[in-house]
C-alpha cells in the first residue's frame, strides 16, 4: 500500500512487542559483528584479508537492517491493519448505498400507484383499504417502518404506524417534494417521525390519476437504525477491538456499532487517504480508515456520507490468531515463502540477511580448509562468526515466522471477510427481487387486465407501458412480463432492447405448476439458475408471483415474471467486493461447485470449480479460509456460504445456497524447493576425531551434495548472475563477475548444477547461490539451491560408487555416510564435472578463463 505521508516508526513501535524485541536483538548483533571484524583486523589481518570485505558488507547490512528492517516490519504491520479496517469501512458505505438505491426506485414506483393516487386525489375515501394496501407493501418490503400519505397542505391522510399518530406536518421537505419532479432524500429530525432523533425519509409527489395535477406526497420511512444494527452485527470484529461507524458529510457519527464507545452525534477525525498515522478521539489514539461512496447505478447515496472503522492503536497489533503456518504442509510453506520478495518485501529482507551471514561463514570455512599455522587464528574468528551467525539466524527465523504469520493470518482473515461481503451483497440484492415480483403482482391494472376474458390490443399496449415504466425504475431486470391463466406471455418490457420476442411464448409447464401452487401474495417462485430463452439462452434467475382476480384472491388469473440481469449484476457484486485487489479473483458457485458468476475469464459460468467437498458443505453463514494451490499458484482461498437477508432465504421457504469464493494469488508453485539446514541435515561431528578431508556441502532442492573443498573458491549470491543466451547447452544460464583485491575483473560461466543432476531447470530464489569452482586454470560457477557448511569427514565415511565414464554424464562417484550412516551426502566428482562440460564444443573466450 502506498501512503502519501511518512510512517512515524517511533509512534507505533511501543505497541509492537515482537518488533521491539527484534530491534533490540539487531542492535546487540550489530555490536557483535563490529567486534568480530575488529578482532580479525587486529589478530590476523593478512589471513582475514579475503573475507574482510564480506564481513564489512555484512556489518553494513546490519547497519541498514537496524534502520530499514524494523521500519519495514512496522510498515507491514500498520499496512495490514489499515487494509483490514479499510475493507470493512468501504463495506459499510457501499452496502448502505446499494440498499438506499433500491429505496429511490421504490418511492418512484409507489408514488404512481393508481389506487393510492386516487385516494390522495379524493376520488374515494376508503382509508382502511388504503392502509391495508400500504401494509401489504410493508409486508413485502420490510425495510420500511412507516409509510405516510399527505395532501398538498401537509395533512396526514393515512399512515401505517399507529403508535405515533400524526395529524399533519410542517416539515420543509413537503414543499421541496411538491416542487420536485423526482424523489427527495431527507435525513434529520422531522415531525413526521416524532419518536426518532433522526429519520431517513424518501418522499415523492403524487398526481391526480386523471388530470395529472399534483395532489400530495408519499413518504417512505426507512428503518435506518435496524438496518445499520444488522450490518454491524453481521460484520463487526467479533472481538470488538474496533468500531464501525457511518458518518455524515460533517464527519458526525450517524450510526455506531457501539454507541457507548463512540456515541451518535460525535464528531470524529477521519482518514480518507489511508495515511499511516494516528488520529485522536476522546484522548485515545486510533488507526482509522474512511471511505466515501463509489456510487451504485449512478446513485451516490446521501451527500457526504462515509463509512469509517476505528481501532485503538494499543489493540491494533494484538488478538490475531497465529496458526497459519502450523496448518500448512511443509512443501507448501516453503514454496510460499520462496515468493517473499513479491508478497512481503520485509520478509525477503530478513531472509536475504540470513543468507548473507551463512555465505560469510561458508566462504571463510572454504578459504581456511586444509590450512594450518596463522590461518588457525582465522578459524577462531570464523567460529565466532559462525556462533554469531547462528544467533542471527535464530533471530531471523523467529522474525520470519512472526511476519509470515502476520501476513498470512491477515490475508486469510481478509479473504473470509471479502467472501462474506460477496454473499451479503448477493442476498441483499436478491431479497429486493423477491419483494418486487410479489408487489407488482398486486398492481390493480394488471389484475383487472388479466381477469378480463379478452385482452384487447389497447389492454396489451397499456400493460406493456406499465411494465416498461417499472423496468425503467428497476434497471436490474432485462425484462418484466405478464402471462395469462394458461401460462402464455401476453406483454413484456424490453429494457435492454435485446431483440428477443417473448410475447406469445409459454413460460414452461414446470414453472407454471410452481406458480399455480402459490397460495398467498406473500409467496413467490424462483426458477433454478439455468439457461432460459427469456435471457437469450443464458443462465439467470427468473422470479415469479401469481396475479389474482381483483375480486377473488383465491382465483389465479395469471402471473408476473421478472428476469434478473445476472451477468452484469453478479459481476458488479464480485468486482465491488474485490475493490482494488488486482491479484484476486472471485466467484459465486452453487452447492455442487458449478459457477454462477466469475471474475476469472478462464472459468466461465456453468463450468465446475474444483473445491474441497468440505467447503461445499459448510453451514449457511459460515466462512472458511485456507492456503491452496490454485492454477499452479500458491493462493489464499476464502469462502462463505450464503445465509439470507431478513426473511429472504431464512423464513420465506425459499432455499438457494450460493458459496462465495475468493482467491488471492501469491506466486507460482515451486516444484523444486530447498529444505536446507533443517534438523535432518545437521551434522553430528566428533571433536576428538583426527583431521579428515574437508568438503564444501550445499543443497540441490532438498538433497545434500558435497564437493572437495580444495576445488571451491567462494560462493556468491545468485542474484549477481547476468543472463546470457548464445544458443549453447541448456545448463549454461549466464555469467558472473569476479573481483578480488589486486586482481583484474574476470568472468565465469554459470551452470545450473540442478539441471545437470535432475534434467530440468532450477528455480532461482533468495536462497540460491553460485559456487565458484577452480580446476587448474579453468573456473566455472555452479548454481545451487542453498549453502550448508564445510565439514570434515573421515576416509571410512567416504564410500566410492561404481565409476562411470565421463561421457555418461555421471557426476556423483562417491557417497559420504554422515551421522552414523543416517544421512547420505552425494559427492560431485570435479574431474567428471569438467569433463562433461567440456564434451560439447563451445567457443571459449580466453579472457574469461572458463570451461564451457
Amino acid at each position: 500500500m502506498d501512503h502519501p505521508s511518512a510512517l512515524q516508526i517511533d509512534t507505533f513501535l511501543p505497541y509492537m512487542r515482537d518488533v521491539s524485541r527484534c530491534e533490540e536483538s539487531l542492535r546487540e548483533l550489530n555490536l557483535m559483528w563490529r567486534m568480530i571484524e575488529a578482532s580479525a583486523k587486529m589478530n590476523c589481518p593478512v589471513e582475514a584479508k579475503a573475507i574482510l570485505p564480506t564481513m564489512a558488507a555484512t556489518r553494513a547490512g546490519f547497519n541498514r537492517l537496524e534502520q530499514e528492517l524494523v521500519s519495514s516490519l512496522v510498515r507491514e504491520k500498520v499496512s495490514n491493519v489499515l487494509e483490514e479496517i479499510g475493507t470493512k469501512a468501504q463495506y459499510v458505505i457501499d452496502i448502505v448505498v446499494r440498499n438506499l438505491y433500491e429505496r429511490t426506485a421504490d418511492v418512484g414506483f409507489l408514488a404512481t400507484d393508481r389506487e393510492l393516487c386516487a385516494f390522495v386525489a379524493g376520488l374515494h375515501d376508503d382509508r382502511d383499504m388504503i392502509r391495508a394496501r400500504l401494509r401489504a407493501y410493508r409486508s413485502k418490503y420490510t425495510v420500511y417502518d412507516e409509510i405516510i400519505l399527505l395532501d398538498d397542505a401537509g395533512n396526514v391522510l393515512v399512515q401505517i404506524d399507529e403508535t405515533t399518530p400524526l395529524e399533519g406536518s410542517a416539515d420543509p421537505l413537503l414543499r421541496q417534494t411538491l416542487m420536485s419532479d423526482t424523489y427527495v432524500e431527507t435525513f434529520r429530525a422531522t415531525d413526521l417521525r416524532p419518536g426518532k432523533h433522526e429519520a431517513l425519509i424518501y418522499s415523492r409527489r403524487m398526481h391526480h390519476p386523471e388530470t395529472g395535477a399534483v395532489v400530495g406526497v408519499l413518504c417512505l420511512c426507512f428503518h435506518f437504525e435496524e438496518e445499520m444494527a444488522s450490518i454491524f452485527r453481521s460484520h463487526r470484529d467479533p472481538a470488538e477491538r474496533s468500531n464501525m461507524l457511518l458518518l455524515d458529510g460533517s464527519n458526525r457519527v450517524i450510526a455506531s456499532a457501539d454507541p457507548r464507545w463512540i456515541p451518535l452525534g460525535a464528531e470524529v477525525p477521519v482518514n480518507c487517504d489511508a495515511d499511516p498515522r494516528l488520529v485522536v478521539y476522546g484522548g485515545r489514539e486510533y488507526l482509522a480508515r474512511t471511505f466515501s461512496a463509489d456510487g451504485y447505478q449512478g446513485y451516490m447515496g446521501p451527500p457526504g456520507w462515509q463509512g469509517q472503522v476505528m481501532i485503538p492503536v494499543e489493540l491494533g497489533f494484538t488478538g490475531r490468531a497465529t496458526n497459519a503456518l502450523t496448518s500448512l504442509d511443509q512443501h507448501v510453506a516453503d514454496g510460499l515463502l520462496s515468493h517473499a520478495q513479491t508478497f512481503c518485501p520485509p520478509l525477503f529482507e530478513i531472509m536475504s540477511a540470513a543468507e548473507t551471514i551463512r555465505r560469510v561463514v561458508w566462504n571463510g570455512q572454504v578459504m581456511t580448509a586444509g590450512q594450518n599455522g596463522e590461518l588457525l587464528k582465522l578459524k577462531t574468528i570464523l567460529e565466532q562468526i559462525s556462533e554469531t551467525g547462528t544467533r542471527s539466524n535464530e533471530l531471523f527465523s523467529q522474525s520470519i515466522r512472526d511476519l509470515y504469520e502476520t501476513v498470512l493470518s491477515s490475508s486469510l482473515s481478509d479473504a473470509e471477510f471479502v467472501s462474506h461481503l460477496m454473499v451479503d451483497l448477493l442476498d441483499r440484492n436478491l431479497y429486493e427481487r423477491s419483494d418486487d415480483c410479489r408487489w407488482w403482482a398486486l398492481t390493480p391494472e394488471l389484475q383487472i387486465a388479466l381477469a378480463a376474458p379478452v385482452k384487447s390490443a389497447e389492454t396489451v399496449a397499456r400493460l406493456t407501458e406499465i411494465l416498461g415504466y417499472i423496468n425503467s425504475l428497476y434497471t436490474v431486470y432485462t425484462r418484466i412480463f405478464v402471462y395469462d391463466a394458461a401460462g402464455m406471455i401476453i406483454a413484456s418490457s424490453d429494457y435492454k432492447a435485446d431483440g428477443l420476442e417473448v410475447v406469445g411464448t409459454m413460460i414452461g409447464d414446470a414453472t407454471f405448476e410452481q406458480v399455480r401452487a402459490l397460495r398467498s401474495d406473500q409467496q413467490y417462485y424462483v426458477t433454478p439458475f439455468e439457461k432460459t430463452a427469456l435471457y437469450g439462452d443464458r443462465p439467470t434467475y427468473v422470479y415469479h408471483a401469481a396475479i389474482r382476480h381483483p375480486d377473488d384472491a383465491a382465483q389465479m388469473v395469471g402471473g408476473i415474471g421478472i428476469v434478473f440481469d445476472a451477468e452484469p449484476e453478479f459481476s458488479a457484486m464480485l468486482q465491488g467486493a474485490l475493490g482494488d485487489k488486482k491479484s484476486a479473483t472471485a466467484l459465486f458457485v452453487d452447492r455442487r461447485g458449478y459457477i454462477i458468476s466469475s471474475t476469472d475469464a478462464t472459468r466461465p459460468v456453468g463450468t465446475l470449480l474444483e473445491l474441497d467437498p468440505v467447503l461445499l458443505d459448510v453451514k449457511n453463514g459460515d466462512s472458511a479460509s485456507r492456503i491452496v494451490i490454485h492454477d499452479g499458484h500458491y493462493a489464499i482461498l476464502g469462502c462463505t456460504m450464503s445465509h439470507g437477508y431478513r426473511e429472504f432465504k431464512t423464513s420465506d421457504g425459499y432455499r438457494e445456497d450460493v458459496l462465495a469464493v475468493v482467491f488471492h494469488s501469491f506466486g507460482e508453485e515451486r516444484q523444486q524447493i530447498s529444505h536446507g539446514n533443517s534438523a535432518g541435515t545437521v551434522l553430528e561431528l566428533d571433536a576428538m576425531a583426527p583431521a579428515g578431508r574437508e568438503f564444501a556441502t550445499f543443497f540441490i532442492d532438498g538433497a545434500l551434495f558435497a564437493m572437495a573443498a580444495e576445488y571451491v573458491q567462494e560462493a556468491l549470491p545468485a542474484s549477481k548472475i547476468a543472463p546470457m543466451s548464445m544458443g549453447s547447452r541448456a545448463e549454461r544460464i549466464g555469467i558472473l563477475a569476479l573481483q578480488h583485491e589486486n586482481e583484474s575483473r574476470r568472468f565465469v560461466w554459470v551452470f545450473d548444477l540442478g539441471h545437470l543432476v535432475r534434467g530440468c531447470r532450477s528455480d532461482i530464489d533468495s536462497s540460491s547461490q553460485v559456487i565458484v569452482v577452480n580446476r587448474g586454470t579453468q573456473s566455472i560457477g555452479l548454481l545451487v539451491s542453498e549453502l550448508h557448511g564445510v565439514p570434515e569427514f573421515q576416509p571410512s565415511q567416504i564410500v566410492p560408487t561404481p565409476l562411470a565414464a565421463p561421457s555418461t554424464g555421471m557426476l556423483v562417484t562417491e557417497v559420504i555416510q554422515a551421522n552414523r550412516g543416517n544421512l547420505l551426502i552425494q559427492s560431485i566428482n570435479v574431474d567428471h564435472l569438467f569433463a562433461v562440460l567440456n564434451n560439447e564444443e563451445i567457443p571459449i573466450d580466453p579472457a574469461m578463463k572458463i570451461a564451457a
Side-chain angles (χ1 to χ4, degrees):
M1 182 185 299
D2 294 327
H3 300 295
S5 64
L7 182 72
Q8 300 298 318
I9 302 300
D10 292 342
T11 300
F12 295 101
L13 198 55
Y15 304 105
M16 302 176 182
R17 290 187 292 273
D18 53 344
V19 180
S20 296
R21 289 193 297 268
C22 178
E23 181 188 43
E24 183 178 347
S25 298
L26 280 171
R27 192 174 294 118
E28 291 176 359
L29 288 169
N30 193 353
L31 180 59
M32 290 295 297
W33 283 113
R34 289 175 179 275
M35 292 174 62
I36 292 170
E37 184 181 8
S39 177
K41 287 180 177 178
M42 289 188 294
N43 295 321
C44 48
V46 177
E47 295 78 6
K49 187 176 184 180
I51 66 167
L52 281 174
T54 308
M55 289 181 63
T58 303
R59 174 181 43 78
F62 262 93
N63 282 334
R64 183 172 53 82
L65 280 175
E66 271 198 273
Q67 300 168 22
E68 296 182 10
L69 178 56
V70 171
S71 174
S72 295
L73 290 170
V74 171
R75 183 176 293 107
E76 189 73 19
K77 285 178 174 285
V78 171
S79 177
N80 283 337
V81 173
L82 289 174
E83 184 76 18
E84 177 185 1
I85 65 176
T87 300
K88 295 184 177 183
Q90 186 167 20
Y91 163 75
V92 171
I93 186 61
D94 283 354
I95 203 67
V96 167
V97 168
R98 284 172 176 266
N99 192 319
L100 298 187
Y101 165 76
E102 301 284 351
R103 313 295 61 94
T104 66
D106 288 350
V107 73
F109 176 68
L110 192 59
T112 63
D113 184 277
R114 190 172 184 84
E115 293 294 320
L116 302 183
C117 289
F119 172 76
V120 174
L123 299 183
H124 70 84
D125 60 357
D126 192 344
R127 182 176 281 100
D128 291 339
M129 184 270 285
I130 294 300
R131 181 177 287 112
R133 183 162 180 77
L134 293 179
R135 284 178 174 167
Y137 186 86
R138 166 66 174 81
S139 69
K140 310 294 187 297
Y141 298 87
T142 57
V143 295
Y144 300 112
D145 60 356
E146 172 70 297
I147 304 175
I148 307 171
L149 296 180
L150 304 98
D151 64 20
D152 57 0
N155 299 305
V156 172
L157 301 178
V158 67
Q159 65 182 113
I160 64 172
D161 183 6
E162 295 179 334
T163 63
T164 57
L166 301 173
E167 292 185 1
S169 171
D171 195 300
L173 77 84
L174 297 176
R175 176 157 297 281
Q176 183 184 358
T177 305
L178 291 168
M179 298 296 292
S180 173
D181 60 359
T182 184
Y183 69 89
V184 173
E185 187 176 56
T186 306
F187 181 75
R188 52 172 168 76
T190 171
D191 60 5
L192 288 165
R193 300 295 285 147
K196 291 178 177 285
H197 177 65
E198 290 174 313
L200 180 57
I201 298 176
Y202 289 84
S203 56
R204 185 145 186 172
R205 69 188 185 188
M206 303 175 75
H207 297 265
H208 193 292
E210 296 173 0
T211 67
V214 176
V215 292
V217 172
L218 165 70
C219 292
L220 291 179
C221 302
F222 182 65
H223 204 330
F224 178 73
E225 298 85 359
E226 182 183 78
E227 175 65 14
M228 295 309 303
S230 172
I231 293 174
F232 295 148
R233 184 169 55 250
S234 180
H235 297 289
R236 189 186 176 192
D237 172 19
E240 299 185 353
R241 296 157 55 245
S242 60
N243 200 2
M244 301 178 80
L245 307 169
L246 185 66
L247 312 179
D248 65 14
S250 301
N251 302 333
R252 182 179 63 91
V253 177
I254 54 178
S256 172
D258 189 345
R260 296 168 300 176
W261 181 358
I262 303 178
L264 300 182
E267 187 174 332
V268 295
V270 297
N271 182 12
C272 301
D273 299 321
D275 286 345
R277 58 180 173 84
L278 296 179
V279 298
V280 178
Y281 168 75
R284 197 176 187 184
E285 293 181 309
Y286 291 84
L287 280 167
R289 286 293 303 276
T290 315
F291 277 88
S292 299
D294 288 333
Y296 179 66
Q297 304 278 18
Y299 170 70
M300 298 303 295
W305 279 22
Q306 306 162 93
Q308 177 158 305
V309 174
M310 300 172 66
I311 185 168
V313 64
E314 69 270 19
L315 300 179
F317 310 103
T318 63
R320 187 183 297 282
T322 55
N323 60 354
L325 281 177
T326 56
S327 62
L328 281 183
D329 176 86
Q330 186 61 46
H331 186 84
V332 174
D334 290 341
L336 186 57
L337 195 59
S338 71
H339 289 284
Q341 187 171 15
T342 300
F343 83 90
C344 185
L347 193 56
F348 179 73
E349 288 282 342
I350 301 173
M351 295 166 63
S352 299
E355 291 302 328
T356 298
I357 295 170
R358 186 175 292 126
R359 191 167 56 250
V360 170
V361 176
W362 197 89
N363 282 340
Q365 290 173 332
V366 164
M367 190 186 70
T368 59
Q371 303 295 325
N372 294 298
E374 290 298 314
L375 281 174
L376 287 176
K377 295 179 181 179
L378 181 56
K379 285 196 172 186
T380 302
I381 299 293
L382 290 172
E383 288 174 4
Q384 294 176 342
I385 294 176
S386 182
E387 181 181 343
T388 305
T390 300
R391 287 184 56 194
S392 301
N393 285 339
E394 289 173 354
L395 167 65
F396 293 150
S397 295
Q398 187 59 48
S399 297
I400 288 171
R401 186 176 185 85
D402 290 346
L403 188 54
Y404 200 17
E405 288 282 10
T406 298
V407 172
L408 294 181
S409 295
S410 176
S411 298
L412 289 165
S413 176
D414 185 65
E416 280 194 26
F417 184 83
V418 169
S419 67
H420 196 174
L421 169 58
M422 287 158 53
V423 291
D424 202 14
L425 290 173
L426 178 137
D427 283 339
R428 286 168 175 270
N429 191 303
L430 298 186
Y431 155 82
E432 303 285 351
R433 314 299 58 98
S434 70
D435 294 345
D436 292 347
C437 71
R438 290 179 294 165
W439 175 249
W440 297 337
L442 296 180
T443 304
E445 285 185 90
L446 299 184
Q447 293 176 320
I448 294 170
L450 290 176
V454 178
K455 283 75 175 174
S456 65
E458 291 81 3
T459 298
V460 171
R462 175 58 181 159
L463 292 177
T464 302
E465 181 185 358
I466 292 171
L467 299 178
Y469 173 69
I470 297 174
N471 212 161
S472 70
L473 293 173
Y474 296 83
T475 57
V476 296
Y477 306 112
T478 58
R479 60 181 23 84
I480 303 172
F481 58 91
V482 292
Y483 44 92
D484 62 19
M488 186 179 74
I489 297 175
I490 61 172
S492 173
S493 68
D494 185 16
Y495 180 72
K496 302 288 181 172
D498 53 20
L500 297 177
E501 294 293 339
V502 301
V503 174
T505 64
M506 307 298 290
I507 66 167
D509 293 341
T511 297
F512 191 56
E513 287 306 310
Q514 291 286 347
V515 177
R516 285 174 57 88
L518 300 176
R519 290 293 173 259
S520 75
D521 61 15
Q522 284 295 97
Q523 295 181 316
Y524 61 96
Y525 171 69
V526 188
T527 62
F529 189 81
E530 59 189 14
K531 292 180 179 179
T532 172
L534 296 167
Y535 195 51
D537 289 323
R538 296 171 294 163
T540 190
Y541 295 116
V542 181
Y543 288 73
H544 291 263
I547 297 177
R548 304 185 183 278
H549 196 286
D551 300 322
D552 182 6
Q555 181 184 350
M556 173 185 162
V557 294
I560 186 169
I562 55 180
V563 183
F564 181 61
D565 198 0
E567 285 187 4
E569 293 301 319
F570 283 151
S571 178
M573 294 177 203
L574 297 178
Q575 295 289 356
L578 289 181
D580 59 358
K581 296 175 174 62
K582 295 182 175 58
S583 60
T585 56
L587 310 94
F588 288 132
V589 302
D590 64 20
R591 279 281 189 185
R592 300 170 300 160
Y594 285 95
I595 295 171
I596 293 172
S597 183
S598 169
T599 64
D600 182 351
T602 67
R603 288 184 165 81
V605 174
T607 57
L608 184 66
L609 176 66
E610 295 292 339
L611 282 176
D612 186 338
V614 172
L615 299 178
L616 293 172
D617 289 336
V618 298
K619 296 179 181 179
N620 293 102
D622 282 0
S623 299
S625 58
R626 58 181 61 175
I627 296 166
V628 298
I629 306 297
H630 177 65
D631 288 345
H633 287 69
Y634 301 104
I636 297 288
L637 178 154
C639 64
T640 301
M641 187 62 72
S642 61
H643 47 87
Y645 171 64
R646 303 182 78 88
E647 68 278 3
F648 177 67
K649 292 187 182 180
T650 60
S651 60
D652 64 359
Y654 176 52
R655 291 290 180 273
E656 175 72 2
D657 292 340
V658 175
L659 184 71
V661 184
V662 59
F663 292 100
H664 183 195
S665 176
F666 278 126
E668 292 184 351
E669 181 183 8
R670 306 286 198 194
Q671 297 300 326
Q672 305 128 16
I673 303 172
S674 173
H675 296 277
N677 300 289
S678 64
T681 60
V682 175
L683 298 180
E684 301 171 5
L685 301 177
D686 183 0
M688 304 304 293
R693 187 179 177 191
E694 291 178 291
F695 286 81
T697 54
F698 49 88
F699 291 94
I700 299 175
D701 304 335
L704 197 54
F705 284 77
M707 184 178 293
E710 60 263 29
Y711 293 107
V712 178
Q713 177 179 322
E714 64 178 327
L716 295 168
S719 59
K720 293 185 176 296
I721 299 173
M724 292 188 69
S725 177
M726 297 178 62
S728 61
R729 59 192 305 153
E731 300 93 338
R732 194 169 73 178
I733 58 175
I735 61 171
L736 188 70
L738 305 180
Q739 181 86 54
H740 294 286
E741 193 173 353
N742 298 326
E743 289 186 15
S744 60
R745 192 179 191 190
R746 63 192 183 101
F747 300 88
V748 295
W749 286 115
V750 179
F751 295 87
D752 183 350
L753 186 55
H755 195 303
L756 288 165
V757 169
R758 82 173 87 82
C760 60
R761 190 157 190 161
S762 301
D763 293 325
I764 298 179
D765 58 28
S766 61
S767 297
S768 302
Q769 307 288 329
V770 175
I771 297 175
V772 179
V773 180
N774 300 325
R775 177 179 174 273
T777 60
Q778 296 180 322
S779 299
I780 60 171
L782 295 176
L783 174 68
V784 301
S785 301
E786 193 172 350
L787 301 176
H788 180 255
V790 188
E792 292 184 9
F793 296 106
Q794 300 301 309
S796 60
Q797 295 179 274
I798 304 170
V799 180
T801 60
L803 295 179
S807 60
T808 66
M810 185 73 172
L811 301 182
V812 177
T813 58
E814 294 175 328
V815 175
I816 301 171
Q817 297 176 329
N819 295 358
R820 297 186 297 278
N822 293 321
L823 176 62
L824 298 181
I825 305 173
Q826 302 174 71
S827 178
I828 301 290
N829 185 304
V830 174
D831 289 334
H832 279 215
L833 173 67
F834 276 78
V836 166
L837 295 179
N838 281 317
N839 262 351
E840 189 168 337
E841 294 184 4
I842 302 171
I844 302 173
D845 184 348
M848 287 186 168
K849 304 179 182 178
I850 296 169

